[in-house]
Amino acid sequence: MFSLDPTTEGAASDYIYVKKITNGEGTETPIFTDSVRVVYQGRLLPSKSYPKGFVFDGTVYGEYSPVTAYTKRQAVSNTILGYATALQNMHKGDYWRVYIPSELGYGTSDYSTIPGYSILVFDLTLIDFSPVGEEMKPWR
């Protein structure tokens, strides 16, 4: 369980919940102004219509695999709050399943194919990161 300020107690909706699937290496983590290279798949919670959850975005087609996926470069600051919180706690190579409450996602309003009040689930692998103005190494 992570929050932007771990010393503050709050409601369950103030935190993201994380299942660490693979641990990466190193001790450094991205900061809010960094750019990251990730493999990810964002989906809604499973339902009868979508037993694995409706996929609304990602770099993965079919089953999640960083080996066959493409990557995306993103600025941490240009992502939703819950996703940014996860990235700022990850190390290179970490593969996490991140559950983001609507309060740290898209909130009460519909956004594209995401209904308001949706809990989001991201499979997320941090490949690399770099500070503003520094070029990121090519991948593969």
Side-chain angles (χ1 to χ4, degrees):
M1 180 165 67
F2 292 100
S3 80
L4 286 177
D5 182 0
T7 61
T8 304
E9 291 190 27
S13 60
D14 294 336
Y15 299 91
I16 61 170
Y17 295 84
V18 172
K19 178 180 180 184
K20 294 181 180 182
I21 298 170
T22 302
N23 287 320
E25 300 176 355
T27 57
E28 295 181 352
T29 58
I31 61 173
F32 193 71
T33 57
D34 285 349
S35 289
V36 294
R37 183 182 317 272
V38 294
V39 171
Y40 74 101
Q41 185 177 66
R43 61 189 188 281
L44 303 178
L45 286 177
S47 65
K48 285 186 178 184
S49 302
Y50 296 94
K52 293 184 178 183
F54 173 75
V55 176
F56 59 83
D57 195 13
T59 62
V60 177
Y61 295 100
E63 293 298 315
Y64 187 87
S65 171
V67 175
T68 59
Y70 67 94
T71 64
K72 183 172 186 179
R73 186 174 174 163
Q74 303 171 311
V76 175
S77 60
N78 286 344
T79 64
I80 58 173
L81 194 54
Y83 191 92
T85 300
L87 287 171
Q88 292 175 85
N89 286 280
M90 296 179 79
H91 303 98
K92 288 181 187 178
D94 278 351
Y95 167 23
W96 291 3
R97 180 159 298 136
V98 182
Y99 298 85
I100 301 174
S102 63
E103 292 83 353
L104 300 177
Y106 293 104
T108 60
S109 301
D110 294 351
Y111 179 82
S112 185
T113 57
I114 304 168
Y117 300 99
S118 291
I119 296 172
L120 309 176
V121 181
F122 283 92
D123 281 334
L124 178 61
T125 302
L126 178 62
I127 303 297
D128 199 5
F129 62 93
S130 64
V132 172
E134 186 176 306
E135 188 150 336
M136 196 176 297
K137 298 175 204 160
W139 187 62
R140 291 193 198 182

